[in-house]
Amino acid sequence: MENNLIINVGRQVCAGGLEIGRLLAKEFNANYYDRELLNLAARESGFSEEFLKRSDERKGFLRFLHVPSTNSMGGEHFYQNNFSQESLFKFQSDAIIKAAQKSSCVFVGRCADYVLRDFPRVVNIFITASLEARAALFMREKGVDHDEAVRRIGHIESQRASYYNYYTGKKWGHASSYDLCIDSTILGPEDTAMLIAEFIKRRFNL
């Protein structure tokens, strides 16, 4: 665990955080986790991945939900459970910790910077980009107009900030919450990833 390198990537919507995370994982021969972490959390908790997805990066409580789960015989069944968002956060946090203990990792989102704050070799990055660049990408990916893209980006980021601030006690996207904040619009995803990699190598004398 002491030798494992942990890179946590926070990101604005459509700022290239996922691609940059994958590039960093390749550069440092690390395992990469974004929504894949939900699969780990689902396996650990016994609850369905779809249920965890619906609750992903939202704070608050979910009560008396009919939650699909797979029993030991492999069949699907539904049952009523008073299951809180805090429990979901704990399942995800446990999965993050187990993964980080086993190997070097890149985590995108999921408050991994807070969860792994006591690990020895951790670097926390935040990826930004201009709103126009992000809106343009969102429009292409979702097939919406500019105003709708900006509205939906704002909505998603409001949820993301609320989730992060609630669980970490820090402020999502604020420089004080990270080791390095960088605008991917300037260099593009590949060169941004290489610049971050150089920062990490110098920080840990790699």
Side-chain angles (χ1 to χ4, degrees):
M1 182 179 79
E2 291 184 359
N3 293 323
N4 292 345
L5 175 64
I6 308 300
I7 304 170
N8 300 311
V9 179
R11 78 286 185 211
Q12 290 183 311
V13 174
C14 289
L18 299 178
E19 181 180 354
I20 290 168
R22 292 188 187 97
L23 289 168
L24 290 171
K26 183 178 180 180
E27 176 69 17
F28 292 102
N29 193 28
N31 290 329
Y32 170 84
Y33 297 98
D34 46 37
R35 283 195 178 276
E36 176 61 24
L37 188 64
L38 294 174
N39 294 329
L40 293 176
R43 288 197 295 268
E44 292 293 329
S45 66
F47 286 82
S48 75
E49 181 187 355
E50 184 58 34
F51 177 67
L52 292 172
K53 275 186 179 180
R54 288 198 299 269
S55 306
D56 186 32
E57 293 192 356
R58 293 174 174 83
K59 81 174 181 68
F61 291 90
L62 303 171
R63 293 184 176 180
F64 302 110
L65 293 175
H66 289 281
V67 183
S69 178
T70 303
N71 62 24
S72 59
M73 299 300 291
E76 292 285 330
H77 68 277
F78 291 83
Y79 60 95
Q80 199 171 52
N81 196 307
N82 186 4
F83 198 64
S84 74
Q85 181 68 27
E86 276 66 17
S87 297
L88 290 177
F89 180 77
K90 184 178 187 307
F91 283 135
Q92 238 179 36
S93 297
D94 289 345
I96 288 170
I97 291 169
K98 287 183 179 180
Q101 288 173 335
K102 292 178 181 178
S103 66
S104 295
C105 298
V106 173
F107 295 100
V108 178
R110 280 71 196 168
C111 300
D113 57 332
Y114 175 77
V115 174
L116 302 175
R117 62 195 181 279
D118 294 328
F119 276 57
R121 291 211 301 174
V122 175
V123 61
N124 301 317
I125 310 296
F126 192 81
I127 309 298
T128 68
S130 71
L131 179 58
E132 285 306 306
R134 294 187 293 122
L137 179 57
F138 196 96
M139 289 164 63
R140 290 197 299 272
E141 290 185 346
K142 304 298 183 182
V144 299
D145 63 24
H146 181 271
D147 288 346
E148 178 65 9
V150 171
R151 187 192 69 79
R152 288 170 64 176
I153 286 171
H155 177 69
I156 295 167
E157 291 187 346
S158 177
Q159 288 186 326
R160 194 172 285 177
S162 180
Y163 179 92
Y164 181 88
N165 297 348
Y166 179 77
Y167 285 109
T168 69
K170 300 192 292 182
K171 291 186 177 182
W172 180 83
H174 284 231
S176 61
S177 299
Y178 309 92
D179 300 310
L180 178 67
C181 298
I182 187 165
D183 185 341
S184 64
T185 312
I186 299 170
L187 298 178
E190 291 188 3
D191 285 346
T192 298
M194 293 304 99
L195 190 153
I196 295 169
E198 182 62 26
F199 171 81
I200 293 169
K201 289 172 184 177
R202 292 193 179 194
R203 175 170 180 175
F204 296 113
N205 296 315
L206 299 177

